[in-house]
Each structure stands twice: as C-alpha cells, then as structure tokens.
Amino acid sequence: MGAIAASFASDNATATIANPAQLGMFSLNGILNASTYLTKTNWSSSPYMSLNASALNVGINLSNFFSMPFQASVGLGYSTVFFDLGSIETEYGISPWKENQECYTIGAGFDWIVRLGMGYSLKIGNSIEPGSDVFNTSSQNSRVYTHDYGVMMQLPLSEIVSRLSGKPIMLFPAVKPFVDINLGYSKRNIGGYAIYPLLSDSFPQPRTATLGLNFELGLRTQVGNKEWTLLSFVWAREAENTMVKATAVDDTSMDYPFYEYGYASGFGTFKPIANLILGKIYGVDELHKGWQIGAAEFIYIRGGSVENFVFTYYTFGTSIKLNGFIRLLSVCGIVNPGTGFTRFFLDHIDLQYHSSVYKSGYEPGLDGTKFQAINLVVR
C-alpha cells in the first residue's frame, strides 16, 4: 500500500518496525501476533543480496481485569531484520557484509470513543563489515544503539455521530456504514552513529520522521457476537522527512567537495495540507500514496506509490485471511459456527498470508522485488 505503515493500524506483527505505536493499538484487542517472511527476499532482484524479517508481539487489555471508565492496554514486542549484502571485494580481499537489527518495543493503548496508541522501541544494530586496510582484511563487527517513538490515533466518525444522536446509523436493517480517520507520527533511529571500518569514518543512522493520514470507510454487520466488515476502502498518505543533513565544508585544500553530516532537530518540515491532502511532495523528502480494498475480512487488494525527487516506484499487494474465509462459510451455511473448534477459531484465531511486489520504470533493480509472509493473530 505504497509502504504505508506508520499511520494505518495493522495486526501484522512487523508493523511495529515502522511505528512502535502499532503495538499500542494492537494490544487493545489482541493477545499475540507473530509474523515471518516465508522466504528471504532477493533485494533489488539481486541473487547476492537478501532481506528477511520476523516479529512477535504480546498484549493485554487491562480493562479485562480492572474496572475503568475507558479501555487501557499494554504490550511488549520483539522484531528482527536481517540484511545480507553479499560478499564485498575490496583491494584488501573478499569478505561478507551483513546488517542485523533487533528491536525491543513497548506500547500502550487507550480507547474512550477515540482510540490512541503510543509506543517506544530500543533498537540494536549489528554489522559485519569488510576489513578496513591491508593489516585488517577480515570482517569487523560494530554495534550501534538507537530508538524510535510514535503515536497513532483513530477517530471513528460514524460511532461518534451515533453516540451524539442517541441512535445507530443504519443503511439497512442489519448493515451499518462506518467512517474512520487515522493519524500517525513516528520518529525513527534517534541517536547513534554507525562506524564503517572500510570508510574509516562514522555516519549518523538514517533518522526519519513520518506523518500520515488515512481514511477508511465501508459496511459492517453483526455475526454472532462479533462485528464483521463486509466491504472496506482505505485512502492513505504519508510524508517522510530525512532528519540527517549534510553541510558543505569550505576547505580549499580539498580537490573535491567535503561534507559534514549531522542530525536535523524538530519533528520534521511537513506541510500537512499539501502533503497529506493534495498529495504534493513540497517540503518533504518522500511521499507515500496508498489504497486498499477489502472484502468480507477475507481478501484484500492494495496498491500505491513511493515518490522522491529522483524517481517513483509502485507497489502492489494482496492478503488472504483465514478467519474471514471461515466466517464467510459460516454465513453461507457451509460450516456450523456453533461447534466448539469453529466458534473458538472465529472468536480468537486468524492466520494470514501477505504478498507484495515493487515495480519501477526508473530504477530497474526494484522491478520484481517480492515479499511473502505469514502472520498469526490471537485475540
């Protein structure tokens, strides 16, 4: 969905990598989710570079144990991303280059008409890098610590209107429309400089700030004791700022430009109306646009684009959710939702398959880069 992940609430466990506040939102009605790539992804269609990711989160709704005027929840999560850049050949020899990031996340959620999620992540980056000189040709290890924080908010407009009017909004006797507005902000890779022995220098971690807005609307009905979304549509935008800035150094002794790198302060130079409503890239480094269509909580089709000042690439993805499929079968009378296992599965378990692909006419290496993952959800 155009790499939209910082503002659209998802029960996919790896969503906390984009915004730790995803864990706060999930913990309001989720107990556990776990996700992993089915196979390593060949990055930029290269047989020598691959990417892999896994995540596990657990949550608990405190309102199930304590009397509160609102719902509150907490969650803990762990994720890891492994990037294999293959073997690097230098004038000193051939050695592997690998990057691994471990992420420990804590989140909190609140629900009192408006849903709010907050989260914080501590990240540990481990690198195995080529040697830096003729006296040190073997790979060297380096480690850097950074952290992320984020916040998300969901405004259920249709529910708020129903409460104010004192009666539910119904389109048909058993079908009601819904409209949700979702907002999200995350700031990633705060603190820490990565050391690259091969370059004999250190550089700031790729700190980014992301601001997002999306709308979700559709139709819902009641099946047993659960709400069931018959049809949904998502329209989403996210703007991203790179918070690492290069400053040119005036040094007449150098035959080529020299730059000093450092972090930019603040929350990012966003222009919310231009970026998130009009879809313009003014004032930001990257703009994400995405959409999604969902049917019966079973099949999802999504697409989008990622635009920067150099090129634009496009994304396409699909998802299949087993819980929605079984619910559809029960509504059609093919399976009995009242049996013990079926009822338990419908109320508490979901198994999901996700796939996506990059397409680009400007960066041929991105064409055909595919991702496949499975996600388990326990509620």
Side-chain angles (χ1 to χ4, degrees), residues 12-23 55 57 78-79 103 105 121 148:
N12 192 321
T14 55
T16 57
I17 298 173
N19 189 345
Q22 290 275 7
L23 180 54
N57 302 304
Y78 171 80
S79 62
C103 183
T105 304
S121 292
D148 303 348

Side-chain angles (χ1 to χ4, degrees), residues 164-216:
L164 292 175
S165 64
K167 57 181 181 181
I169 301 173
M170 304 299 294
L171 191 62
F172 302 107
V175 178
K176 63 180 181 179
F178 73 91
V179 179
D180 294 340
I181 299 178
N182 302 283
L183 298 162
Y185 174 83
S186 68
K187 196 168 185 179
R188 304 171 58 200
N189 295 324
I190 301 170
Y193 281 64
I195 299 173
Y196 295 97
L198 184 62
L199 303 175
S200 301
D201 207 344
S202 63
F203 293 91
Q205 287 293 282
R207 182 182 300 178
T208 58
T210 304
L211 180 68
L213 167 70
N214 57 78
F215 298 89
E216 183 176 17

Side-chain angles (χ1 to χ4, degrees), residues 8 35 37 53 81 109 195 198 212 229 238 272 274 284 294 311 342 364 372:
F8 183 67
S35 181
Y37 283 7
V81 179
I195 299 173
L198 184 62
T229 302
E238 283 184 357
V284 295
F311 63 91
T342 305
Q372 295 185 84

